[in-house]
Amino acid sequence: MAKTATKKEATVAEKLDRLYDLQLIDSEIDRIKTVRGELPLEVQDLEDELAGLDTRVVKMQEEIKTLETEVSDRKNANKDSDTAIAKYKEQQNNVRNNREFESLDKEIEFQELEIKLNEKRTKESKFRISSKKEILDTAKERCDFRSVDLKTKTAELDEIIAETQIQEQKLTKKSVSALKKLDSRLGGAYTRLRESAKNGLAVVKVDRDSCGGCFNKIPPQRQLDIQAKKKVIVCEHCGRVLVPSDEATE
C-alpha cells in the first residue's frame, strides 16, 4: 500500500524569505498609495464641505420662504384691519348713544394698533430676509467655488488611480497569495506589525549594523544569529522582524 505524501514544512530560512518577499510587495503597494498623496482625503473633505453647504442653502431658502409668507400674511391682515376700520367708522354714523360710539372707537383703535404692530414685524422680517439672502448668496458662491475644486481634485485622483489601478490590483493579489503561504501565527504577527508601524514596515534588513526600521544598533552576536536564519529574530527596540543585509547574504 502506497504511503500518503506529507507536505514538507518550510524551514525558518524559507519562512523569513517569504516574509521579506511579502514585505516588498506590500511596500510597493504603499508606494503607489503614497503617489496619490492626500488627494483621497482632500476629495472626501470637499465632498463633506459641499454636503454641509447644500444643507445650509436648503435651510436658508426654507427660512426665507417662511419669513416671506409671514410678510404676506401680515399684509393681508392689514387689509382686513382697514376693511374693519372702514366698517366701524360707518357704524359710528348710525349709533344711538355714546356708549356704542366709544365701543366702536375702541375697535378702531385696536385695529390701528394691529396695523402698526404688523408693520413693525414686517419691517423686522424684511430685514431678516435681507440678512439671510446675503448669507445664502455667500453660501452659493462658496458652493460653486468648492464644486470647481472638487471637480479638479477628483479628475486628478481618477487619473492617478487609472495609471496605478491595474498594477495595484496585481500586487494586492500577490500579497494575498504570499500571506497565505505563511503559517497563521507568523502571518498574524506580520499583519499586526504592519498596522502598528507608521511606514508599514514589519520586516526590515540589518543596515550598517542597525535595525532598518528604528536604526538602533544590533549587537554582533545577534547579527550572526540573524545571518544564520535559524530562528525568527525581532528588534529589541521596535519589534520588527530582522533579516540579513544584502552584503551578509552574498
Side-chain angles (χ1 to χ4, degrees):
M1 188 175 178
K3 292 183 179 179
T4 304
T6 56
K7 187 178 179 181
K8 185 181 177 182
E9 186 178 351
T11 64
V12 173
E14 289 172 335
K15 289 180 180 179
L16 287 169
D17 289 341
R18 291 173 185 175
L19 202 59
Y20 187 66
D21 286 343
L22 174 58
Q23 178 66 74
L24 290 177
I25 295 167
D26 286 340
S27 291
E28 183 59 18
I29 294 172
D30 291 342
R31 186 195 67 77
I32 290 171
K33 290 179 178 178
T34 302
V35 170
R36 296 173 195 163
E38 298 295 319
L39 272 176
L41 290 176
E42 289 177 18
V43 168
Q44 184 61 57
D45 287 345
L46 283 168
E47 287 175 343
D48 292 343
E49 184 180 352
L50 280 169
L53 285 168
D54 286 339
T55 300
R56 190 175 189 185
V57 165
V58 171
K59 183 183 178 183
M60 206 60 60
Q61 288 172 333
E62 289 174 350
E63 290 178 357
I64 289 170
K65 188 177 179 180
T66 299
L67 288 167
E68 288 175 340
T69 299
E70 289 176 5
V71 169
S72 178
D73 290 344
R74 291 192 187 105
K75 186 177 180 181
N76 291 330
N78 279 355
K79 286 181 180 179
D80 292 340
S81 292
D82 286 335
T83 301
I85 289 170
K87 184 183 73 172
Y88 294 144
K89 285 183 176 179
E90 186 179 345
Q91 288 176 359
Q92 280 182 327
N93 294 328
N94 301 310
V95 295
R96 291 171 293 181
N97 53 56
N98 287 339
R99 185 177 178 183
E100 289 182 4
F101 186 90
E102 288 174 359
S103 177
L104 290 168
D105 210 37
K106 286 182 180 179
E107 290 293 340
I108 291 169
E109 185 179 350
F110 174 77
Q111 293 299 330
E112 287 174 343
L113 287 172
E114 281 291 299
I115 289 171
K116 287 181 180 179
L117 182 61
N118 281 332
E119 287 175 347
K120 180 186 176 184
R121 288 178 176 169
T122 295
K123 184 183 277 190
E124 291 172 352
S125 293
K126 285 182 177 180
F127 177 78
R128 290 172 65 193
I129 288 170
S130 178
S131 298
K132 289 182 182 295
K133 281 184 175 179
E134 287 181 10
I135 296 171
L136 177 61
D137 289 342
T138 301
K140 284 182 175 180
E141 287 176 9
R142 179 74 176 173
C143 195
D144 291 340
F145 177 73
R146 300 308 270 170
S147 292
V148 172
D149 279 351
L150 176 60
K151 188 176 180 180
T152 302
K153 295 290 184 183
T154 302
E156 289 177 16
L157 181 59
D158 289 344
E159 185 178 349
I160 292 172
I161 290 174
E163 291 174 354
T164 59
Q165 191 172 35
I166 294 174
Q167 184 185 6
E168 186 179 354
Q169 286 174 346
K170 287 180 180 178
L171 287 169
T172 300
K173 286 181 181 178
K174 285 179 70 176
S175 175
V176 172
S177 177
L179 186 61
K180 286 179 179 178
K181 291 179 182 177
L182 300 173
D183 61 69
S184 58
R185 185 183 63 81
L186 194 58
Y190 170 82
T191 301
R192 287 192 296 274
L193 281 168
R194 278 265 300 163
E195 290 172 351
S196 61
K198 288 183 179 179
N199 54 9
L201 292 177
V203 186
V204 294
K205 288 186 175 183
V206 175
D207 184 23
R208 296 178 184 178
D209 302 328
S210 302
C211 168
C214 65
F215 310 111
N216 278 289
K217 286 289 182 182
I218 301 171
Q221 182 56 50
R222 198 165 183 79
Q223 289 188 52
L224 291 174
D225 292 337
I226 293 167
Q227 291 170 21
K229 296 170 78 171
K230 297 294 183 182
K231 58 183 177 179
V232 177
I233 297 175
V234 299
C235 175
E236 295 176 345
H237 301 278
C238 66
R240 291 179 173 90
V241 177
L242 296 166
V243 294
S245 64
D246 294 329
E247 291 82 1
T249 55
E250 288 176 357

